[in-house]
Amino acid sequence: MNADFTSDPRGEIPGATMMRDAWDEEADVVVLGCGGAGAVAAITAYDAGAKVIVVEKGEFGGNTRLATMAFLCPTNNSLAREHIKALSFGRLGDDIIDVYVEWTSKNVEYIEQLGGEVETCFPGASFSPLPGSETMLRYRVSARAEGELGGESLWNLLSKNLQQRNIPVHRHTTANRIIRSADEVVGVVTQKEEKRFNIRARKAVVLATGGFEYNEELKREFLPAYPIFAYGNAGNTGDGIRLAQELGADLWHMNAVAAPMGYKFPEFQSAFIMRMPADGYIIVDQNGNRFCNETGLEHYSMWMSVTSFNTESLRFLRIPSYLIFDEQTRLAGPITRVGHGANRVYQWSPDNSQEVRRGWIKSGNSPVELANKLGIQATEKLTQTFQDYKEACKSGTDEKFGRSKETLVEFDSKSYGVPLWPCLLNTQGGPKRNARGEIVDVWGEPIKRLYGAGEVGSIWGFLYQSGGNLGECLGLGRLVGLNAAAELPLN
Ligand SMILES: Cc1cc2nc3c(=O)[nH]c(=O)nc-3n(C[C@H](O)[C@H](O)[C@H](O)COP(=O)(O)OP(=O)(O)OC[C@H]3O[C@@H](n4cnc5c(N)ncnc54)[C@H](O)[C@@H]3O)c2cc1C
C-alpha cells in the first residue's frame, strides 16, 4: 500500500523511504494510548462497525488503572452546565460544556451496558458553594474480584470488553509520529523496541495518550511552580501533545492540574498522597510559618496554596512545605492513602513507625530539634508557630487562617515532620478539541481525521471536579469513538 508522506513539514519522517512503499498494518480507527479514554473510544468505534487497533506504550491501563475510581455522572443537565461553567472561570465554550454534560450524564447507563455494576461515592461536589453543585454525583464500578485496588474495577471492566471484542492492543509500542497526507491524517509511525511499524488509519486516529505528569520540560514550561511530582503512571510523558503540535494543533488548559499535596522519597519515582488520619497537624513553610487553613483545603486544588513565589528570598517558600503532626496523629493511622497510585504495592505501616525508621518522617522532642532534622533554618519561628497554634487550640479560634474549632487539636509532646510537595493526580492540558472531539489547529479548524479523548487536552481548564476525568474518559471517549468510526474511509 502506498502513502504520500512528502507533505510532512519537516520532511524528515524516520524511515520515510520505507514508509513510502508500505504500511505494516491497517485499520479504520487507530487509537493511541490504552487507558480509560482509549479503551472507551476503541470499544465504541468497534461497536459502530470499525476495525480498530490500539497502540499502547506500556503494559496498559495508564492512570485509569491506578485511579481512585470515582467517575462523574450528573443527574440534572442544566444544573451541571451551570456548575461546570462556574468551575471553568471562562475557559470553556458553552458547546463543550453541553457536550460534556450530555455524554457524562449517561455514564452509569454505559457502565451497565458494558456489564458492570455501580455504587455511589461520597461526597459529590468538590466545590459545593458554586451553583448547581448538588447534581455533581460520583459513582464507581463495584469491585468484582477480591483485592481489586484503586481504579482496577473500572479498568478491569474496560479491559474485559476490549478482550471480548478481540480488539488488538499493541503493547510496549510507542506512537512516535502521526502521518498526514495533504491535509488529512492517514496513519501513525509506531515503535516497538528497535522496530518501526507503520499503521494506516483509513478513517481516523484517536489521541488518548494521557497527561504530562512525568515530562519535566513541559511541567517547567507550563505549570506555575516547580518541582511538582506525580502519583500516577510514569509512561504519561505528554507524548500526545508533541504529536499533535507537530500537526499544528492549538493547546488549551496547559496550566490546569489536579494536585493534592504529597510526599516524595528518593526510593520511589512517584509520590505518596497526603491523607491525615486525625486533626493534630499543621503545615508550615520554609520559614516555619503556617500559611493556610490546613483542614479546610480542597483536595484537588491544594497546590494552588503553595505556588506563590517569594520575591524577597527568591524562592518558592512553600515548595517544599512541611507537614507537622503529633504522636497521637502518628498512632491514628497511615498519613497516606494506602493502596493508591503507582506506589500502591508499598505496605505503609499502620502507625507510620516503619516510615519513621526509614528516615522519611523525622521526629523531635521539641520544635527546635524537629526543625533541625527537617532542615528548617528558622528554628525560633517554628517554636513561635507551635506556641501560636497551641493558643489557637486553647481559645478555639484560629484568627489568621480560620481553621474550624473542632479541628484545632492541641499537639502532645513529641512531634513529627515530613516535607510536603505539590504532586499531580493529573494534568489537564493538551491539544484543544471542538465539541465533536476533533483536535483543532491554531485557527480553530479541525485537523482532519484526528480526534482526542481523556487527559490529553481535557475539558478541565481551571477548578477540577472530582470524578471529572474518568467521567470524561467514559463520556467523551464514546463521542469520539462514534465520530471516528463515522468518518468516510480513505481510498
Ligand atoms: C492516584 C490517582 C487517582 C485518581 N483518581 C481519580 C478518580 O477517582 N476519578 C477521576 O475522574 N480521575 C482520577 N484520577 C485521574 C484519572 O485517573 C485520569 O485523568 C484518567 O485515568 C486519564 O485517562 P486517559 O485514558 O486519558 O489516560 P491514561 O489512563 O493515563 O492512559 C494513557 C495511556 O497512554 C499511554 N501512552 C502515553 N504515551 C504514549 C505513546 N506515545 N504511544 C502509545 N501510548 C502512549 C500511557 O502509557 C497510558 O497507558 C486519578 C489519577 C491518579 C494518578
Side-chain angles (χ1 to χ4, degrees):
M1 199 151 307
N2 293 325
D4 172 18
F5 300 114
T6 50
S7 63
D8 181 78
R10 296 195 332 210
E12 54 181 42
I13 299 169
T17 312
M18 180 267 293
M19 288 191 296
R20 273 191 202 101
D21 301 329
W23 295 96
D24 296 296
E25 232 180 333
E26 184 168 318
D28 294 321
V29 176
V30 180
V31 177
L32 309 183
C34 193
V40 170
I43 291 164
T44 312
Y46 176 94
D47 289 351
K51 182 183 174 204
V52 180
I53 290 175
V54 183
V55 176
E56 166 55 47
K57 178 173 160 179
E59 186 60 25
F60 52 63
N63 266 358
T64 306
R65 194 160 67 112
L66 305 175
T68 318
M69 72 181 143
F71 66 84
L72 192 65
C73 183
T75 42
N76 179 317
N77 287 12
S78 65
L79 284 177
R81 277 187 214 108
E82 195 182 355
H83 190 71
I84 293 173
K85 191 169 188 148
L87 292 172
S88 80
F89 275 69
R91 293 193 190 185
L92 273 187
D94 287 346
D95 55 342
I96 303 285
I97 299 176
D98 287 352
V99 78
Y100 182 88
V101 172
E102 185 193 333
W103 285 87
T104 54
S105 63
K106 295 178 202 140
N107 278 343
V108 166
E109 199 183 313
Y110 178 58
I111 291 294
E112 288 166 355
Q113 278 168 20
L114 293 181
E117 288 168 20
V118 300
E119 52 197 67
T120 316
C121 295
F122 294 100
S126 299
F127 295 93
S128 49
L130 292 176
S133 62
E134 61 270 35
T135 193
M136 303 311 274
L137 300 186
R138 302 179 313 140
Y139 299 82
R140 65 168 159 248
V141 175
S142 306
R144 283 275 167 88
E146 207 175 311
E148 271 182 341
L149 295 165
E152 277 182 346
S153 54
L154 169 62
W155 174 252
N156 289 344
L157 179 68
L158 295 176
S159 184
K160 186 171 148 200
N161 273 270
L162 285 169
Q163 282 169 28
Q164 281 168 342
R165 289 162 177 79
N166 286 323
I167 296 173
V169 180
H170 296 339
R171 298 203 166 94
H172 304 288
T173 304
T174 303
N176 276 339
R177 206 100 191 235
I178 296 172
I179 301 301
R180 186 159 54 179
S181 177
D183 64 347
E184 295 189 304
V185 164
V186 296
V188 186
V189 179
T190 73
Q191 182 163 347
K192 184 167 189 172
E193 292 163 359
E194 295 306 307
K195 204 161 182 286
R196 288 181 191 285
F197 295 90
N198 310 314
I199 309 176
R200 184 170 191 244
R202 280 188 298 255
K203 293 186 170 184
V205 169
V206 175
L207 204 55
T209 49
F212 58 94
E213 295 91 13
Y214 292 85
N215 184 316
E216 300 310 311
E217 190 188 343
L218 289 176
K219 286 193 288 183
R220 253 186 210 279
E221 186 62 34
F222 289 103
L223 304 187
Y226 192 82
I228 297 190
F229 300 109
Y231 301 111
N233 179 42
N236 288 15
T237 48
D239 302 8
I241 297 173
R242 298 296 193 216
L243 294 176
Q245 272 187 305
E246 189 176 13
L247 303 185
D250 200 1
L251 298 180
W252 69 352
H253 306 158
M254 288 300 286
N255 59 3
V257 301
M261 302 296 280
Y263 326 117
K264 173 72 178 69
F265 309 117
E267 294 90 329
F268 290 88
Q269 183 180 10
S270 303
F272 291 85
I273 203 162
M274 169 189 159
R275 190 191 214 196
M276 296 312 287
D279 289 328
Y281 71 96
I282 56 172
I283 299 174
V284 300
D285 66 15
Q286 292 157 23
N287 286 340
N289 289 314
R290 284 181 66 213
F291 56 88
C292 60
N293 168 2
E294 297 88 349
T295 53
L297 292 172
E298 194 280 322
H299 188 64
Y300 300 96
S301 57
M302 261 190 194
W303 65 285
M304 289 181 176
S305 62
V306 299
T307 52
S308 65
F309 186 75
N310 185 287
T311 51
E312 282 169 30
S313 60
L314 301 178
R315 281 187 294 162
F316 288 103
L317 268 183
R318 299 172 182 174
I319 301 182
S321 309
Y322 298 91
L323 168 69
I324 294 178
F325 54 97
D326 70 347
E327 178 76 349
Q328 269 189 36
T329 303
R330 176 181 79 75
L331 293 170
I335 59 163
T336 187
R337 182 193 277 265
V338 175
H340 193 248
N343 298 338
R344 61 202 176 138
V345 290
Y346 175 77
Q347 302 284 318
W348 194 285
S349 58
D351 59 0
N352 305 289
S353 56
Q354 187 180 315
E355 293 66 35
V356 175
R357 277 197 298 278
R358 292 185 82 135
W360 292 355
I361 300 173
K362 310 288 184 200
S363 65
N365 289 313
S366 70
V368 174
E369 187 186 352
L370 186 64
N372 284 332
K373 286 194 184 165
L374 286 171
I376 298 175
Q377 309 282 315
T379 49
E380 280 175 27
K381 188 67 223 178
L382 189 65
T383 307
Q384 183 63 47
T385 298
F386 270 53
Q387 190 55 35
D388 292 348
Y389 177 68
K390 193 174 172 185
E391 277 161 26
C393 293
K394 279 205 162 64
S395 69
T397 312
D398 178 26
E399 273 177 17
K400 274 196 184 156
F401 304 107
R403 184 161 156 171
S404 63
K405 188 175 175 183
E406 61 278 12
T407 69
L408 286 167
V409 177
E410 208 175 316
F411 281 8
D412 50 30
S413 53
K414 194 165 185 181
S415 53
Y416 297 86
V418 58
L420 204 52
W421 306 86
C423 304
L424 300 162
L425 285 170
N426 47 47
T427 55
Q428 310 289 10
K432 188 172 181 180
R433 302 173 200 149
N434 64 19
R436 297 191 68 249
E438 294 164 300
I439 290 176
V440 297
D441 68 16
V442 291
W443 308 112
E445 294 297 325
I447 297 176
K448 288 184 186 163
R449 301 181 188 271
L450 181 62
Y451 290 82
E455 221 186 282
V456 60
S458 154
I459 70 133
W460 297 101
F462 193 59
L463 294 179
Y464 172 68
Q465 159 64 43
S466 173
N469 279 117
L470 292 179
E472 180 167 351
C473 291
L474 293 171
L476 298 188
R478 272 177 291 153
L479 167 80
V480 159
L482 278 181
N483 287 343
E487 291 276 0
L488 292 174
L490 295 166
N491 291 324

